[in-house]
Amino acid sequence: MSSKNTMTRDAMLFLPAKVIEGLLVIACTSLYTHLFYESTVGTFNFINFNVQIAYLILAGWMANAATRYVGEEFSKDQGRGLFSTVSTVYLIICAGVAIFCCGAAVLLHDPLYLGFMTMFFSYTVFQILNSALIQLGRMRASITLSLTSAVLKLLVAYGLVFSMRNPASPFPAICANTVADGIAGIGAVIALGLPSIARLRWFSRELFGKFLRFGVPLMGVSISVTLLNQIDKYLVVGFFDMDVYGVYSSNNSIASGLFTMISVGIMRGVYPAVLRAWREGGQDEAKPLLDQGVRLYLLIAVPAVAGLTAVALPMSRVLFAKGYEAGAPVIAYTALAMLFMGLTEYANKAYELEQSTVSVLQNSAAAAIIKVVSSIILLRAFGFTGGAMGSIVAFASYFVITCVRVRRRFLFHVPVKNLARIIISAVLCGAAAYGCTLLPVSNLVRLICAVPAGAITYAVCIVASGEGRAEMQAVLQRIQRTN
């Protein structure tokens, strides 16, 4: 089987699982808006994205470095040195976070710091080890554990809320996320066989130095990307209050959650193949796979933007409690912003493959400054939805800046005719879905009609144009083999 076919197969294997995971995340977000007060939803969402920020800044550099080198290190000693080094650094990071959070909880008399601490521990270990599972080709274990985590976040929160009967407390949601990621993290430890190969005494200074050289510039990247991804949320909290933030972040999570799953689902099939090709044949072998990966991403992401934009209002009304529909435009704006963010990740692969992460830092820092300025201006002009508009400006700028600079190395290429087919099919998809939202029926029925109408329209158009014929045949063949 060719590298392109293998890559496409892996991406198509991951994508449905990640979409299911995304839907579970949406269901969880929807549940929280019905179980908790708006301010409670805002508080939990604020803690949750601060956990993600802390992970990016404190541990993201190590996770990226471990992902980059796990394949070659595993072939040497089954990953003994790498996982021992990663485990040691992880424990040191967790110790630092524990000291800070316990001290803050005591001094400020705020137990939410303890909730932050436990969520950070479980989220971080699963993110790091799940990336290793992907790079080592253990796709089924990764998919199973990710879905298990998503299901538990829904079920545990539901059970705890009804047992505690306190809609003003975010701790049921905090506990659910800690338990879910913790169980998934333990599963990843077992799947990788870490109890038998990871020892603190096998810590490798040589590997740690390699991690630092590759990963430390990424700490700056993480801070810049964090500003790109999250500064609008801080600004919404600063400009308004936690109730408004609950509305903003809940609607934002719909598009950002789905697009994260789409991006991750495709990238986890693409990047291992690109990395192997780079090691074996350099740019000549890797670039065609990168081009194909971008095309696969656009094939899924562009109609997702069109569809989410079309159904944003009825979706917000159906999923969330009354009052949250005021943030429906945020779904559409965030979807478009995330499309550009995903494309920028592919553009950055040239830097990552050549281990030139300083350039990524420079580009993301420039875009972060644009994000701060544009978000402040747009928040003042358009209210809280202006935060999501600022994301469009920033991510589009990030993409353009990266493309201009990375051309000196190499940049992915998608032929204009392929891009035109995808965009036209996606516009028709959005039009069909939007037409269903105008039906004189309830919002739920509108949504039920709009989703399949848009999907069928897109499938017919993309296959008729010849653009998605190969992918459709691959899906049908897989279904036939399953039956």
Side-chain angles (χ1 to χ4, degrees):
M1 184 179 289
S2 70
S3 297
K4 282 188 178 182
N5 290 337
T6 301
M7 182 186 72
T8 301
R9 181 203 63 193
D10 290 344
M12 290 300 102
L13 175 66
F14 261 113
L15 189 57
K18 299 310 291 184
V19 169
I20 292 172
E21 184 181 342
L23 293 175
L24 288 170
V25 170
I26 290 173
C28 196
T29 304
S30 173
L31 176 68
Y32 289 177
T33 66
H34 291 282
L35 294 178
F36 300 113
Y37 299 140
E38 286 182 5
S39 59
T40 310
V41 172
T43 299
F44 168 73
N45 287 345
F46 195 68
I47 294 171
N48 190 39
F49 91 74
N50 273 292
V51 166
Q52 296 170 20
I53 288 173
Y55 163 76
L56 286 173
I57 295 173
L58 299 177
W61 65 274
M62 181 182 68
N64 287 325
T67 300
R68 174 66 177 80
Y69 296 113
V70 67
E72 54 197 70
E73 292 298 326
F74 195 83
S75 63
K76 294 178 182 178
D77 60 3
Q78 297 299 299
R80 186 180 75 173
L82 182 138
F83 287 119
S84 297
T85 304
V86 168
S87 298
T88 303
V89 177
Y90 168 75
L91 291 174
I92 293 172
I93 292 172
C94 287
V97 170
I99 292 170
F100 171 80
C101 289
C102 290
V106 172
L107 292 174
L108 301 176
H109 305 288
D110 189 348
L112 288 176
Y113 284 97
L114 301 180
F116 171 91
M117 178 183 71
T118 59
M119 282 181 64
F120 177 84
F121 292 166
S122 60
Y123 178 81
T124 300
V125 70
F126 181 54
Q127 290 301 310
I128 294 172
L129 297 183
N130 193 34
S131 296
L133 286 172
I134 303 298
Q135 289 301 118
L136 295 175
R138 301 180 185 181
M139 310 296 187
R140 295 187 186 280
S142 172
I143 290 170
T144 300
L145 292 171
S146 295
L147 290 176
T148 298
S149 174
V151 170
L152 286 175
K153 286 175 184 176
L154 186 65
L155 296 181
V156 175
Y158 186 82
L160 287 176
V161 167
F162 280 96
S163 63
M164 294 176 65
R165 298 186 181 280
N166 185 4
S169 172
F171 277 99
I174 291 172
C175 182
N177 279 258
T178 300
V179 169
D181 284 336
I183 290 175
I186 293 171
V189 167
I190 296 171
L192 290 166
L194 298 195
S196 62
I197 63 173
R199 298 287 187 277
L200 297 183
R201 66 177 181 273
W202 291 339
F203 172 86
S204 169
R205 290 185 178 180
E206 180 184 352
L207 264 178
F208 182 62
K210 187 183 289 189
F211 284 2
L212 289 176
R213 287 190 296 274
F214 181 85
V216 166
L218 292 178
M219 293 180 72
V221 173
S222 295
I223 294 171
S224 298
V225 171
T226 295
L227 289 174
L228 272 171
N229 281 313
Q230 311 291 3
I231 193 62
D232 56 308
K233 297 176 182 177
Y234 282 117
L235 291 172
V236 168
V237 172
F239 273 71
F240 302 97
D241 54 30
M242 204 57 78
D243 283 8
V244 172
Y245 176 71
V247 173
Y248 179 86
S249 59
S250 296
N251 283 280
N252 175 275
S253 69
I254 297 298
S256 62
L258 276 179
F259 263 85
T260 297
M261 298 309 161
I262 290 171
S263 297
V264 170
I266 296 174
M267 186 63 80
R268 285 180 175 175
V270 171
Y271 190 47
V274 171
L275 195 55
R276 283 193 299 269
W278 180 264
R279 288 198 298 263
E280 295 169 2
Q283 180 179 328
D284 290 341
E285 293 289 331
K287 187 177 181 301
L289 294 181
L290 188 63
D291 293 345
Q292 176 67 3
V294 175
R295 179 185 160 276
L296 283 173
Y297 172 71
L298 291 172
L299 205 59
I300 304 298
V302 175
V305 173
L308 284 172
T309 300
V311 303
L313 183 57
M315 177 179 285
S316 186
R317 286 173 172 166
V318 168
L319 291 176
F320 303 133
K322 187 176 180 180
Y324 281 79
E325 71 275 5
V330 173
I331 297 175
Y333 300 149
T334 303
L336 183 56
M338 294 296 290
L339 172 66
F340 284 114
M341 183 60 186
L343 287 172
T344 308
E345 289 182 14
Y346 285 95
N348 277 331
K349 289 300 171 239
Y351 291 131
E352 293 178 20
L353 292 170
E354 296 184 2
Q355 303 179 52
S356 178
T357 51
V358 173
S359 299
V360 183
L361 170 59
Q362 295 169 341
N363 298 343
S364 57
I369 294 171
I370 294 172
K371 173 69 174 282
V372 173
V373 174
S374 62
S375 294
I376 291 174
I377 294 172
L378 292 168
L379 279 166
R380 289 185 179 279
F382 297 100
F384 72 90
T385 59
M389 296 179 189
S391 295
I392 297 175
V393 175
F395 285 131
S397 300
Y398 188 23
F399 176 60
V400 171
I401 292 169
T402 301
C403 288
V404 169
R405 297 192 66 200
V406 84
R407 283 182 179 275
R408 303 169 191 171
R409 301 170 187 270
F410 67 91
L411 178 66
F412 63 78
H413 174 69
V414 179
V416 174
K417 66 176 182 179
N418 298 83
L419 189 59
R421 290 170 182 168
I422 293 171
I423 292 175
I424 292 171
S425 298
V427 169
L428 294 173
C429 158
Y434 181 72
C436 293
T437 67
L438 302 177
L439 295 173
V441 291
S442 68
N443 285 305
L444 178 59
V445 175
R446 288 172 180 168
L447 194 59
I448 291 173
C449 294
V451 173
I456 292 171
T457 300
Y458 181 71
V460 170
C461 292
I462 206 70
V463 172
S465 70
E467 185 61 33
R469 196 167 294 164
E471 285 74 20
M472 184 63 69
Q473 289 175 350
V475 170
L476 292 175
Q477 289 173 1
R478 185 170 185 81
I479 293 173
Q480 289 173 356
R481 286 198 300 270
T482 302
N483 295 335

